[in-house]
Amino acid sequence: MPQAKHLLIGSTRSGSGKSATILGLTYNLQAKGYKVGYGKPIGTFTTKELPEAAERSEADVEFIKQTLSLPQSLLRPTLLNLDRSALQRRLSGEDTADYSDKLEEYKEIIEGDIVFLEAPANTAEGAIFGLSLEQMAVHLEAPILLVMRFGSLLVVDHILMAKRRFGDRLLGVVINDIPDEQYETAIEILHPYLENQGIPVFALMPENRTLRSVSVSEIIEQLGASILCQPENIDLGKIMVEELKIGAMDVSSAQSYFRKSYNKAVITGSSRIDLQFAALETSTNCLILTGRPFVNEDVAHKAMELGVPILAVSKDTLSTVSIIEGCLGQVRLHEGVKVTSICEMMGKHFNFDRFLKLMNIKALAKV
C-alpha cells in the first residue's frame, strides 16, 4: 500500500474557512471513491481569549470525524491543544518537547489516498511549538493549500507574500466568500493574474449567506435565552438567522426598515407589541424580546401561525446584539444545513481534476 499523501490546509488569518474547505473536499473525494484521512496537529480556538485548559477532544476533529464517518484508521492525532496552560508551560520551560519529532508518526503508512491536515489559525500560530504551517510543511515534506477569505482585491497581496514565503510548497489557493457584485471581477481579473504568477486557483467561491447564518438554537445557547413561543413541529436547529435588526423606532419607520432584510432576527422590547407585529409582517425568522419576559397573546398566535419562535433575554440590548453579531461573523459548521451547502458548493466550484493531477493522485476508474 503506497503512503497516503499529506496536504496542509492553511490560511493567513482565522475564520478563513479551512474546516469548511476540508469538509467539502473530503465529502466530494469520498463520493469519487477516494479514501481520505484527516488530522489537526495543533488544536486551536476561534475565540479572542484562549481558554485556560481545553477539552481533551478537539471539536473540529470530532465534528469532521462524525459528519464524514471517518474510521479511526484514517485519523491523525492532535498533538496538543493551544490553550493558555500549554503556552505558559512552554514559555516557562516546563514543556521542552520536540513536537516536530512527534510529527514522525504522521509519516507512518496509512491506508488511504490523501490526508488533510488542518493548520493553525494563521501562518505564525504554533511556531513556539515547532508546529506553524511552514514548519509542519517542511518536516512532512507536504504541500500547502491556502484558503483565503476575499475581503477585497487586496487579498492578492497576502497570496503573493505567501507564495514568496512558501515557494513551490504552495500547491494553490481557494478564495471564498466573494460578494456577488465582485464575483465577475474575481473571475476575469484576479484569477488570471494569480495564474500568471504561478499560483493555481482551485476555486473561487461565491458568498453564501447560509454559511454565515446562525440557527435559533445556537442563539438560545449563546444568549442563555428562554423560549416564550415555539411553533409545533419546528426544529430550532434548522431555523437560520442571516441578519439582525433592532426595533426601537416608530412603527411606520419600522415597516420600511424591516422589509429591507430577509431571514432576520428582530430584537425589541416585550412592551413594543406594535413593532413585534411589524416584524412578523416581513421576513422574520425569530423575535427576541428584552425587558419583562412576556409575550402578548395576539403576537404569540400570529407567530405560531407563521412558524416564528419568540425568545426572551435578560441581557441588555447592546450585549444581546454583540453576542449575536459575533455568531453571525463566524462560519460555524456544526449545523446540518451548512454542511449540505458547503459540500454542494465545493462540488460545483472546486477543480478536482486539476487538484488530483497536481497532488499526483491517480484518477480512479469510473464505475
Side-chain angles (χ1 to χ4, degrees):
M1 172 70 66
Q3 171 70 44
K5 298 179 183 298
H6 287 85
L7 175 67
L8 280 154
I9 311 293
S11 59
T12 58
R13 63 169 181 154
S14 62
S16 295
K18 296 188 302 295
S19 296
T21 298
I22 290 172
L23 186 68
L25 285 176
T26 302
Y27 174 85
N28 282 279
L29 287 171
Q30 285 179 332
K32 295 176 184 293
Y34 292 95
K35 286 187 176 182
V36 183
Y38 170 71
K40 192 172 183 180
I42 180 168
T44 55
F45 302 87
T46 58
T47 53
K48 293 181 180 179
E49 296 293 331
L50 285 175
E52 182 62 37
E55 297 290 335
R56 293 183 62 185
S57 179
E58 220 289 336
D60 285 337
V61 175
E62 284 300 311
F63 175 71
I64 289 179
K65 171 187 174 182
Q66 294 177 18
T67 302
L68 298 171
S69 301
L70 292 179
Q72 196 64 38
S73 61
L74 288 175
L75 292 173
R76 294 302 203 194
T78 295
L79 303 181
L80 84 155
N81 283 310
L82 185 58
D83 52 31
R84 188 179 294 109
S85 176
L87 279 172
Q88 289 175 346
R89 291 196 304 272
R90 191 70 169 183
L91 290 169
S92 67
E94 181 182 348
D95 176 11
T96 59
D98 187 341
Y99 286 94
S100 62
D101 280 352
K102 294 180 181 293
L103 279 173
E104 284 297 318
E105 60 185 294
Y106 276 48
K107 295 182 179 180
E108 295 175 4
I109 293 176
I110 184 172
E111 184 183 348
D113 300 292
I114 187 170
V115 179
F116 295 125
L117 299 179
E118 186 169 351
N122 54 57
T123 56
E125 198 166 89
I128 192 173
F129 298 98
L131 293 175
S132 69
L133 174 59
E134 187 173 14
Q135 289 168 320
M136 289 192 287
V138 170
H139 192 83
L140 294 172
E141 298 180 347
I144 296 168
L145 175 65
L146 204 62
V147 180
M148 306 291 293
R149 176 162 287 165
F150 179 75
S152 73
L153 287 174
L154 288 173
V155 69
V156 71
D157 286 337
H158 297 280
I159 296 173
L160 291 176
M161 288 302 294
K163 175 63 175 177
R164 180 176 298 180
R165 181 173 183 176
F166 302 133
D168 291 340
R169 291 198 185 280
L170 183 60
L171 184 76
V173 297
V174 169
I175 303 174
N176 57 38
D177 207 22
I178 305 173
D180 291 341
E181 64 272 16
Q182 298 191 64
Y183 194 72
E184 187 175 344
T185 299
I187 291 176
E188 296 180 356
I189 297 178
L190 181 59
H191 185 283
Y193 177 82
L194 291 173
E195 293 285 352
N196 288 335
Q197 300 300 311
I199 303 171
V201 179
F202 291 112
L204 295 174
M205 306 284 281
E207 183 180 48
N208 185 307
R209 292 172 64 88
T210 298
L211 293 179
R212 299 186 66 77
S213 62
V214 60
S215 69
V216 173
S217 60
E218 180 72 12
I219 289 176
I220 293 171
E221 181 177 345
Q222 294 296 322
L223 292 176
S226 58
I227 303 172
L228 297 179
C229 174
Q230 180 176 353
E232 294 181 4
N233 302 318
I234 292 292
D235 183 347
L236 299 183
K238 294 182 179 179
I239 301 179
M240 307 304 292
V241 169
E242 297 178 2
E243 294 186 60
L244 178 63
K245 294 296 181 182
I246 302 174
M249 67 290 287
D250 63 86
V251 68
S252 59
S253 299
Q255 290 173 339
S256 175
Y257 175 63
F258 289 153
R259 286 195 186 100
K260 296 177 182 178
S261 300
Y262 298 91
N263 301 324
K264 63 185 174 292
V266 173
I267 299 176
T268 192
S270 59
S271 62
R272 292 302 306 269
I273 297 172
D274 55 344
L275 291 182
Q276 295 165 32
F277 272 117
L280 290 173
E281 290 173 359
T282 63
S283 177
T284 298
N285 283 2
C286 180
L287 275 178
I288 302 172
L289 306 184
T290 59
R292 187 165 67 94
F294 162 81
V295 60
N296 174 271
E297 185 177 338
D298 292 332
V299 171
H301 180 71
K302 183 71 171 178
M304 291 289 283
E305 285 184 343
L306 297 173
V308 177
I310 301 177
L311 313 179
V313 293
S314 57
K315 296 177 173 60
D316 62 87
T317 300
L318 288 178
S319 298
T320 301
V321 169
S322 177
I323 291 171
I324 298 177
E325 286 184 339
C327 293
L328 290 170
Q330 299 182 30
V331 178
R332 299 171 184 267
L333 283 177
H334 299 209
E335 293 161 320
V337 64
K338 295 185 181 182
V339 172
T340 300
S341 184
I342 190 61
C343 291
E344 290 177 350
M345 287 182 66
M346 289 296 289
K348 179 179 180 180
H349 296 283
F350 192 86
N351 191 335
F352 283 94
D353 290 338
R354 188 182 189 190
F355 172 76
L356 292 169
K357 182 177 180 180
L358 290 180
M359 283 295 297
N360 195 26
I361 296 175
K362 292 182 179 180
L364 299 178
K366 296 182 179 180
V367 180

